């Protein structure tokens, strides 16, 4: 089909060129008019055929019909030219008007109908109103021009018959139809027509109007003569119009393959507003201004009416424009508000869900993807309850039903919602009833993921009631559970028990290896306790190295003893501390509440008292609380209070026990022993208060008082009883004293104040001092030795017995413990053991002193074993200062007299 159209276009060009050439060479006359009309008829026929052929190429039904109607319009002109020639051939001259003019006038409505049939852009009512105002404005503006220059002059022509005047005026009026058509093409045609076909078709219509205006002007001015060059020139715009119309159809047919829109398609991008309405207004007012210069022309009323109508149209257009601007501003504000709301909803931390009365999701914000991992489109039209934890659904339905019944306020639901990854998230949801709102018509659920806050709250709650190091219950939680357990015990009659556990050697680990290692030991102990007790029991860290186990529903005392023994065994198992095994051990106090009459504090105190008694009895054991234990502890507490006051009041006195040379029976020294002269209880022996002084640390100030007093007395006795070597004084130093930072300074100060020679002072330490840290003990004792004093190792053989360390100790005296002296009388092995100790002292060049000689046979055996020195009740009991002074006077006085 493309080839015929190309041939037709080529013929049109050839005919048009021939017409122009004829005009150029001045060919005129009636014969030329006939030739011109024949060529025009041929042109219009070819144009009609081209457009009709092109319409068959159109893919859109509306475009196909429109081009067909335009082709028929061109065919109407062809019919007019044919009739014009036939009438002329029959009558010899074609009159005006004739039947041909009827055919010519059909062209105009057909072209307009074709333009209005083209696919149109879909418009809102306001846009359609603006279109028709612009179209009418353009038509009225063009009508004003045509009225002034053509319509009125033709209608008022005196030479024309009424019919001729009517038909002559009909052509300019029809041109108004073409103006409306041009306006339609410019303002209304859809992009489905294409840019170039639109431009070419519009140009064809404009060219046709130019031809009409030229013919009308020639008729009005009386210059129209058939066949004359000027008349032939007036037909050139028609030739151009036919050529452009055919070319427009050809281009549209070529572009038809790209057209995909149907007659109802809408334009994606609006075409800029045409300037035709504004141009027509300018022309209308311009004609009125033109006519106002000079004499007032006839038909001025029509001009004024047209300009007034233009003015009204302009005002109406402005009103519509203002309203449209307001609508656009409102729409823009709404779009901004919607965009802002959409952005807030998409980026909000809350999830907004709308459900209907049966729980189906009708709206879901995109934030659900970020918060719960579900895609919004997957949640829509599903049951919301399928995402709720099964244990929370019944309660959730109940609260939703409450929300449905109330029209105001909000209902808060705390439940668990399933995340897409399967985890359950704690969620707080606020429910608002908007079922009555037609824009919502549902329950609005605003959900917030509360998991992190709940987790943090649980952590804080756990930290508030659990020990941060071991994870066991802390004191607050233990006391709370104990109080509730006591209430239950009273109600059901089942006894409960408290096991109070205290680590025995934890302070040694903590002080020697550091608190970090101590914390590791506490964690290990807590793990062992968990493995021993039942899950229903409460294990707690009471503080420091103290642990408590609460056991409910105790069946028998044997059950408690079994648990205590398991705990003791667990703590006796060595701990691996910094690559070496360390034994800690523990002591346990047991308190039972059978009737629930005790308070929580009383039960804990009773268990603590029993534990303390167990430690006193040797540690590493359990002790069951008895009623008299509390009174004993109270006595101990009173003793401690009195002990502190006794130090302040200087209620302590020093007694001395002589040390004899077993070879000569001579007194070589004195051991200082402290006694407490209690105001109410009288003289108290060391065994009653020294252990408590050790525990409380009061032994440090007390020991230094004894040291100063002993040095002072020894110096006096050395002056009164000069001997060779001089008398020595032995003073016991506790572990706490040796560990105290001021120990060296205190000994140095005592020697300086009293003037006692350093080698006359013997500082006695127990062998257990070496257990904690032998290397550190050797260093501290070496510092004491550097002062010039002598050191004695007391209770040898009962504690630390490593010979590798003994030979490195800077000691001068080895004291044999009383237990070995007592064993000499009961077995031969006892004597052999003492002999071995004495031999060890000799080999290490140490002075040996036997303690606790209470019988004559012991003395004789020691002399037989060649023991150098001894002390004990058989030789002399400890005596106060006056008695010792008398003993020394008698002892040394008699020897001097002898």
């Amino acid at each position: 089909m493309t080839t015929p159209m190309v041939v037709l276009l080529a013929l049109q060009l050839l005919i048009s060129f021939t017409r122009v050439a004829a005009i150029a060479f001045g060919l005129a006359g009636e014969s030329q008019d006939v030739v011109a009309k024949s060529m025009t008829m041929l042109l219009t026929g070819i144009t009609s055929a081209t457009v009709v052929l092109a319409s068959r190429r159109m893919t859109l039904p509306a475009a196909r019909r429109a081009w067909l109607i335009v082709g028929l319009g061109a065919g109407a002109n062809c019919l007019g030219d044919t009739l014009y020639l036939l009438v002329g051939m029959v009558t010899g001259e074609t009159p005006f008007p004739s039947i041909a003019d009827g055919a010519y006038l059909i062209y105009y409505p057909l072209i307009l109908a074709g333009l209005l049939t083209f696919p149109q852009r879909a418009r809102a009512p306001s846009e359609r109103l603006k279109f028709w105002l612009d179209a009418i404005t353009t038509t009225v503006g063009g009508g004003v021009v045509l009225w002034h220059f053509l319509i009125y002059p033709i209608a008022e022509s005196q030479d024309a018959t009424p019919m001729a005047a009517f038909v002559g005026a009909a052509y300019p009026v029809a041109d108004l139809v073409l103006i409306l058509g041009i306006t339609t093409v410019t303002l209304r045609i859809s992009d489905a027509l294409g840019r170039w076909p639109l431009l070419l078709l519009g140009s064809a219509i404009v060219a046709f109007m130019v031809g009409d205006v030229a013919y009308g002007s020639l008729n009005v001015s009386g210059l129209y003569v058939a066949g004359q060059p000027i008349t032939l020139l007036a037909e050139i715009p028609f030739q151009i119009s036919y050529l452009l119309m055919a070319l427009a159809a050809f281009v549209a047919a070529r572009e038809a393959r790209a057209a995909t829109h149907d007659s109802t398609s809408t334009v994606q991008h609006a075409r800029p507003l045409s300037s035709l309405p504004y141009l027509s207004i300018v022309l209308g007012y311009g004609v009125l201004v033109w006519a106002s210069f000079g004499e007032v022309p006839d038909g001025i009323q029509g001009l004024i009416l047209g300009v007034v109508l233009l003015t009204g149209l302009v005002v109406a257009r402005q009103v519509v424009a203002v309203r449209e601007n307001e609508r656009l501003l409102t729409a823009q504000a709404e779009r901004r508000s919607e965009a802002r709301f959409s952005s807030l909803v998409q980026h909000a931390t809350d999830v907004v869900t709308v459900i209907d009365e049966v729980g189906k999701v009708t709206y879901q914000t995109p934030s659900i993807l970020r918060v719960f991992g579900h895609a919004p489109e997957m949640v829509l039209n599903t049951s919301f309850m399928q995402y709720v934890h099964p244990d929370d659904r019944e309660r959730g339905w109940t609260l939703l039903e409450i929300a449905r019944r109330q029209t105001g306020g909000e209902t808060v639901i705390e439940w668990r919602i399933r995340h897409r990854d399967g985890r359950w998230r704690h969620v707080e949801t606020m429910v608002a009833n908007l079922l009555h709102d037609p824009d919502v018509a549902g329950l609005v659920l605003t959900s917030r993921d509360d998991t992190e806050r709940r987790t943090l709250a649980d952590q804080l709650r756990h930290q508030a009631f659990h020990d941060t190091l071991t994870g066991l219950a802390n004191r607050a939680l233990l006391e709370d559970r104990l109080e509730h357990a006591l209430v239950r015990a009273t109600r059901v009659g089942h006894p409960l028990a408290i096991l109070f556990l205290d680590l025995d050697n934890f302070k040694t680990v903590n002080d020697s290896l550091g608190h970090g290692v101590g914390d590791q030991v506490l964690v290990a102990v807590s793990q062992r306790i968990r493995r021993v007790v039942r899950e229903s029991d409460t294990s707690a860290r009471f503080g420091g190295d103290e642990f408590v186990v609460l056991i409910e529903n105790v069946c028998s005392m044997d059950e408690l003893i079994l648990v205590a023994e398991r705990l003791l065994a667990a703590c006796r198992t060595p701990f691996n501390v910094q690559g070496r095994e360390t034994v800690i051990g523990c002591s346990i106090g047991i308190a039972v509440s059978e009737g629930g009459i005790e308070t929580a504090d009383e039960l804990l105190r009773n268990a603590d008292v029993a534990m303390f008694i167990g430690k006193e009895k040797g540690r590493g054991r359990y002790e069951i609380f008895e009623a008299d234990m509390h009174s004993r502890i109270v006595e101990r507490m009173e003793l401690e209070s009195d002990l502190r006051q006794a130090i302040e009041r200087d209620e302590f006195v020093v007694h001395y026990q002589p040390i004899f040379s077993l070879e000569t029976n001579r007194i070589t020294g004195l051991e200082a022993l402290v006694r407490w002269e209690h105001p109410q209880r009288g003289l108290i022996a060391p065994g009653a208060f020294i252990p408590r002084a050790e525990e409380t640390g009061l032994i440090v100030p007390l020991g230094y008082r004894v040291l100063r007093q002993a040095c002072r007395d020894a110096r006096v006795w050395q002056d009164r009883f000069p001997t060779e070597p001089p008398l020595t004084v032995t003073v016991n130093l506790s572990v706490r004293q040796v560990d105290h930072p001021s120990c060296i300074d205190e000994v140095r100060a005592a020697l300086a104040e009293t003037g006692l020679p350093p080698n006359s002072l013997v500082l006695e330490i127990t062998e257990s001092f070496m257990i904690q840290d032998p290397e550190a003990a050797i260093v501290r004792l070496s510092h004491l030795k550097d002062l010039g004093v002598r050191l004695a190792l007391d209770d040898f053989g009962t504690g630390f017995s490593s010979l590798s360390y003994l030979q490195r100790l800077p000691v001068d005296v080895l004291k044999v413990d009383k237990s070995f002296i007592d064993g000499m009388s009961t077995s031969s092995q006892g004597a052999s053991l003492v002999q071995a100790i004495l031999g060890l002292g000799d080999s290490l060049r140490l002075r040996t002193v036997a303690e606790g000689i209470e019988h004559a046979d012991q003395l004789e055996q020691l002399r037989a074993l060649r023991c150098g020195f001894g002390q004990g009740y058989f030789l002399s009991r400890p005596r106060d200062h006056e008695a010792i002074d008398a003993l020394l006077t008698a002892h040394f006085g008699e020897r001097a007299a002898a």
Side-chain angles (χ1 to χ4, degrees):
M1 188 180 294
T2 304
T3 302
M5 287 192 295
V6 172
V7 172
L8 292 175
L9 286 174
L11 288 174
Q12 282 185 301
L13 290 173
L14 179 61
I15 294 171
S16 298
F17 178 77
T18 303
R19 286 293 308 275
V20 173
I23 295 172
F25 287 104
L27 298 177
E30 292 183 1
S31 61
Q32 177 63 25
D33 184 52
V34 173
V35 173
K37 286 299 181 181
S38 299
M39 290 185 177
T40 301
M41 178 187 67
L42 187 58
L43 280 174
T44 55
I46 294 173
T47 299
S48 177
T50 303
V51 174
V52 171
L53 287 175
S55 67
R56 297 177 62 183
R57 298 267 301 183
M58 304 303 166
T59 57
L60 299 178
R64 187 181 304 115
R65 289 192 298 270
W67 282 110
L68 178 62
I69 295 172
V70 171
L72 293 177
N77 273 333
C78 179
L79 178 61
D81 290 337
T82 302
L83 293 174
Y84 183 89
L85 289 175
L86 291 176
V87 172
M89 292 174 61
V90 173
T91 60
E93 181 182 0
T94 304
F96 180 81
S98 68
I99 189 173
D101 291 294
Y104 286 142
L105 290 174
I106 293 176
Y107 164 82
Y108 299 96
L110 287 176
I111 294 299
L112 178 61
L115 293 175
L116 295 178
T117 305
F118 276 115
Q120 308 293 318
R121 292 200 299 266
R123 288 180 171 85
S126 60
E127 293 179 335
R128 289 196 294 270
L129 178 59
K130 288 189 297 180
F131 161 74
W132 285 113
L133 285 173
D134 290 339
I136 295 172
T137 300
T138 304
T139 304
V140 171
V144 169
V145 176
L146 293 177
W147 169 266
H148 180 71
F149 291 104
L150 293 178
I151 298 176
Y152 184 78
I154 293 174
E156 295 297 322
S157 175
Q158 296 179 356
D159 297 335
T161 64
M163 180 58 69
F166 175 78
V167 174
Y171 281 99
V173 173
D175 284 332
L176 293 179
V177 175
L178 293 184
I179 293 176
L180 182 60
I182 294 172
T183 305
T184 302
V185 171
T186 305
L187 300 179
R188 192 177 183 188
I189 298 301
S190 169
D191 284 345
L193 182 60
R195 179 181 179 184
W196 285 106
L198 171 65
L199 181 62
L200 292 172
L201 184 59
S203 300
I205 295 172
V206 172
F208 199 90
M209 287 181 56
V210 172
D212 272 350
V213 172
Y215 260 94
S217 299
L218 291 176
N219 285 324
V220 171
S221 61
L223 298 177
Y224 177 82
V225 178
Q228 296 300 313
I230 190 172
T231 304
L232 296 177
L233 286 173
E235 291 186 0
I236 291 178
F238 293 114
Q239 315 307 318
I240 296 174
S241 174
Y242 298 144
L243 183 62
L244 291 176
M245 186 177 293
L247 186 60
F250 176 77
V251 173
R254 293 290 300 272
E255 295 180 355
R257 296 179 181 177
T260 57
H261 296 78
D262 59 15
S263 59
T264 60
S265 64
T266 59
V267 177
Q268 300 298 324
H269 302 286
R271 184 183 289 113
L273 185 64
S274 173
S275 60
L276 284 179
Y278 303 99
L279 179 61
S280 64
I281 292 172
V282 172
L283 290 175
Y285 280 94
V287 170
L288 181 60
V289 172
W290 173 273
S292 64
F293 289 96
E295 296 181 1
V296 177
D298 296 334
I300 190 67
Q301 296 85 352
L303 285 178
I304 295 174
L305 179 62
V307 171
V308 170
L309 185 58
L310 277 178
T311 303
L313 291 171
V314 170
V315 172
R317 185 64 176 83
Q318 292 302 314
V319 171
V320 172
V322 170
R323 294 182 61 183
E324 180 65 13
N325 188 50
E326 292 178 352
R327 186 188 67 80
L328 291 176
L329 290 176
T330 302
Q332 184 180 20
E334 291 178 354
R335 286 194 298 271
R336 288 180 179 176
S337 178
E338 291 176 357
R340 183 163 52 249
F341 175 75
S342 177
S343 178
L344 290 174
V345 167
Q346 291 182 8
H347 295 86
T349 57
D350 293 349
V351 178
V352 180
T353 307
V354 179
I355 62 174
D356 58 16
E357 291 185 345
V358 297
K360 185 176 69 174
V361 178
T362 59
Y363 173 78
Q364 181 60 66
T365 57
S367 54
I368 191 175
L369 179 62
R370 183 177 61 259
V371 177
F372 297 118
H374 300 289
E377 59 273 12
M378 300 301 294
V379 176
L380 287 175
N381 299 318
T382 63
S383 174
F384 182 79
M385 279 299 169
Q386 71 178 354
Y387 303 102
V388 178
H389 195 282
D391 296 341
D392 299 338
R393 288 174 186 170
E394 183 177 355
R395 179 172 55 86
W397 274 120
T398 302
L399 293 175
L400 288 176
E401 185 62 30
I402 294 174
R404 290 190 192 98
R405 292 196 297 267
Q406 63 182 19
T407 56
E410 293 180 333
T411 302
V412 179
I413 305 177
E414 292 185 353
W415 48 15
R416 286 163 290 178
I417 303 297
R418 187 179 71 249
H419 194 277
R420 188 173 182 272
D421 60 10
R423 294 175 299 162
W424 292 103
R425 310 294 292 176
H426 292 275
V427 177
E428 182 183 73
T429 301
M430 301 185 69
V431 184
N433 185 358
L434 294 181
L435 289 168
H436 58 281
D437 189 338
D439 295 329
V440 180
L443 297 176
V444 180
L445 280 59
T446 304
S447 302
R448 175 176 298 173
D449 189 347
D450 201 36
T451 305
E452 292 184 1
R453 187 191 66 81
R454 290 280 297 271
T455 302
L456 178 60
D458 292 342
Q459 291 176 350
L460 293 176
R461 190 180 302 110
H462 184 274
Q463 292 176 2
F465 293 102
H466 290 79
D467 179 57
T468 56
L469 176 63
T470 63
L472 299 179
N474 61 10
R475 184 169 184 169
L477 181 58
L478 171 69
E479 292 177 347
D480 179 73
R481 291 186 178 178
L482 179 55
E483 290 177 354
H484 287 82
L486 288 171
V487 173
R488 287 192 295 270
T490 303
R491 184 173 64 250
V492 300
H494 290 165
L496 60 87
I498 288 291
L499 276 66
F500 202 105
L501 184 151
D502 183 85
L503 302 183
D504 290 335
N505 297 318
F506 179 73
K507 186 178 185 304
T508 302
V509 174
N510 220 22
D511 293 344
S512 60
L513 301 179
H515 292 281
V517 175
D519 289 344
Q520 295 178 21
V521 171
L522 292 175
V523 172
V525 169
S526 67
Q527 293 172 349
R528 295 184 182 184
I529 292 176
R530 282 195 184 99
R531 289 195 292 266
V532 170
V533 302
R534 303 172 300 184
E535 291 186 2
S536 59
D537 300 331
T538 299
S539 303
R541 183 186 177 197
F542 201 66
D545 59 344
E546 297 176 334
F547 298 85
V548 174
V549 178
L550 167 61
I551 301 178
E552 298 185 62
N553 301 322
V554 177
C555 297
S556 65
M557 186 59 67
D558 292 340
E559 176 186 351
L560 295 178
I561 293 174
L562 179 61
V563 174
E565 289 177 345
R566 288 177 178 174
L567 289 172
L568 291 172
C571 291
R572 277 196 298 265
T573 303
F575 294 87
N576 191 336
V577 179
Q578 291 188 341
R580 61 182 180 182
E581 292 186 344
T582 302
V583 178
I584 302 298
C586 69
S587 299
I588 300 176
I590 304 174
V592 180
S593 174
E594 298 184 356
I597 58 175
E598 300 92 344
T599 65
D601 289 339
E602 290 173 345
L603 199 60
L604 288 169
R605 181 202 63 194
N606 293 344
D608 189 13
V609 168
M611 180 275 298
F612 189 81
I613 297 298
K615 276 187 175 291
E616 282 193 334
K617 291 182 177 181
R619 301 186 177 187
R621 55 180 294 160
Y622 67 86
E623 195 73 26
I624 301 174
F625 177 77
E626 296 177 358
D628 64 337
M629 287 183 176
H630 183 258
S631 60
R632 288 158 57 186
I633 293 299
V634 171
E635 290 179 2
R636 293 180 62 85
M637 294 178 64
E638 292 177 352
L639 176 65
E640 180 180 341
S641 176
D642 292 346
L643 190 60
R644 294 181 183 277
Q645 295 179 8
I647 294 176
E648 296 174 358
R649 298 170 183 172
D650 198 14
E651 295 177 354
F652 294 95
V653 295
V654 180
H655 287 199
Y656 298 93
Q657 185 177 37
I659 300 174
F660 290 84
S661 170
L662 299 185
E663 182 180 357
T664 63
N665 287 330
R666 181 184 176 188
I667 297 176
T668 60
L670 303 166
E671 181 177 358
L673 302 172
V674 66
R675 300 292 187 268
W676 181 7
E677 287 186 337
H678 195 279
Q680 288 80 33
R681 299 168 61 182
L683 193 66
I684 301 177
F689 64 88
I690 290 297
R692 193 58 180 168
E694 289 273 5
E695 294 174 4
T696 59
L698 295 175
I699 192 65
V700 175
L702 176 59
Y704 291 148
R705 286 174 180 265
V706 172
L707 175 63
R708 285 185 174 86
Q709 183 64 46
C711 291
R712 187 179 300 111
D713 291 343
R715 180 58 183 167
V716 171
W717 286 325
Q718 281 184 347
D719 291 341
R720 289 182 57 193
F721 309 105
T723 60
E724 187 60 36
L727 286 172
T728 61
V729 62
T730 301
V731 180
N732 289 278
L733 281 185
S734 71
V735 175
R736 282 184 175 268
Q737 282 181 275
V738 180
D739 287 339
H740 201 275
S742 63
C743 178
I744 305 298
D745 295 333
E746 290 288 347
V747 174
R748 184 186 293 111
L751 294 173
E753 290 175 8
T754 62
L756 182 69
N759 62 351
S760 297
L761 175 61
V762 180
L763 297 177
E764 186 175 302
I765 59 173
T766 60
E767 189 180 357
S768 59
F769 171 68
M770 298 294 297
I771 294 178
Q772 297 180 10
D773 191 347
E775 296 293 343
I778 292 173
V779 173
R780 286 193 291 270
L781 293 180
S782 297
H783 291 325
L784 284 173
K785 185 67 176 176
D786 291 340
L787 296 177
V789 301
R790 287 189 283 178
L791 300 178
L793 187 61
D794 192 17
D795 300 333
F796 179 75
T798 61
F800 191 82
S801 57
S802 174
L803 297 180
S804 62
Y805 283 108
L806 180 61
Q807 64 180 353
R808 295 173 55 195
L809 288 175
V811 296
D812 304 282
V813 180
L814 194 64
K815 302 192 76 171
V816 183
D817 187 69
K818 180 179 181 298
S819 60
F820 296 113
I821 305 301
D822 294 339
M824 293 172 55
S825 303
T826 59
S827 67
S828 59
Q829 291 180 348
S832 299
L833 184 58
V834 172
Q835 184 178 10
I837 295 174
L838 295 176
L840 178 63
D842 291 339
S843 64
L844 295 176
R845 297 180 181 181
L846 300 177
R847 185 179 183 182
T848 55
V849 179
E851 295 182 300
I853 301 175
E854 297 181 353
H855 304 286
D857 59 338
Q858 294 174 342
L859 177 62
E860 293 302 326
Q861 284 181 293
L862 289 170
R863 284 176 173 168
L865 294 174
R866 303 180 65 81
C867 179
F869 302 89
Q871 65 183 100
Y873 281 6
F874 180 75
L875 298 175
S876 175
R877 288 178 174 272
R879 306 182 185 190
D880 59 16
H881 183 275
E882 290 77 9
I884 287 294
D885 188 82
L887 175 63
L888 292 176
T889 300
H891 183 75
F892 288 108
E894 292 177 359
R895 291 190 61 79

